[in-house]
């Protein structure tokens, strides 16, 4: 695998937050699906936009299996993503959570990085499985994801 396999697995499926509309939202609503997750600050800089782009493209390249894969973007409680950005990533779940919530939930970043600087894969049972480098190679991410989808009988 290309991504860093997280051992032991960390259960993050109950990660709580709110949606952009203020209603309760979290990773629990995505159980049963593979989830590509990243984080962001109140404003989405170029690195953040690139991570969102990569997640969208990797999901699309899974072909017939793309319905088994969701995308989640964890943002600060005061974040107001632009309509343009949300339009470019239609179908992505946006979860507002307290600063530090990713770290508290077990998203452990690589040395010198923050949890929101990575792209993560959460399995259909709500376990954090893989962490990708800060500037990941999308073709290698796709290979990892396709292997997981092929081997999985769930999600």
């Amino acid at each position: 695998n290309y991504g860093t396999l997280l051992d032991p697995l960390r259960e993050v499926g109950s990660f709580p937050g709110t949606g952009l509309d203020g209603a309760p939202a979290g990773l629990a609503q995505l159980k049963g699906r593979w989830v590509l997750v990243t984080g962001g600050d109140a404003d989405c800089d170029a690195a953040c936009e690139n991570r969102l782009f990569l997640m969208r493209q990797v999901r699309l390249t899974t072909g017939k299996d793309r319905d088994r894969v969701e995308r989640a973007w964890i943002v600060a409680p005061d974040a107001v993503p632009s309509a343009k950005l949300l339009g470019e990533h239609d179908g992505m779940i946006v979860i507002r959570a307290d600063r530090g919530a990713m770290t508290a939930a077990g998203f452990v970043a690589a040395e010198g990085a923050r949890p929101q600087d990575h792209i993560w894969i959460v399995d259909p049972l709500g376990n954090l499985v893989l962490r990708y480098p800060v500037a990941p190679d999308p073709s290698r991410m796709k290979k990892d994801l396709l292997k997981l989808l092929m081997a999985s009988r769930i999600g």
Side-chain angles (χ1 to χ4, degrees), residues 62-150:
T62 61
K64 65 179 175 60
D65 287 323
R66 76 172 172 231
D67 291 337
R68 297 173 62 194
V69 181
E70 294 290 342
R71 296 162 293 138
W73 182 27
I74 300 170
V75 297
D78 57 346
V80 182
S82 73
K84 178 184 178 286
L85 186 64
L86 293 175
E88 291 172 358
H89 300 283
D90 189 42
M92 179 178 61
I93 306 299
V94 180
I95 303 168
R96 285 184 172 144
D98 293 331
R99 287 172 175 75
M102 289 182 77
T103 301
F107 290 83
V108 178
E111 179 121 5
R114 305 170 303 165
Q116 60 264 39
D117 296 335
H118 296 282
I119 295 175
W120 307 80
I121 292 185
V122 176
D123 74 11
L125 300 174
N127 297 307
L128 201 53
V129 177
L130 291 172
R131 177 188 68 215
Y132 288 100
V134 172
D137 177 344
S139 64
R140 294 178 75 188
M141 285 177 59
K142 175 188 169 188
K143 286 179 186 176
D144 279 357
L145 185 57
L146 288 174
K147 285 179 192 175
L148 290 169
L149 292 169
M150 187 172 64

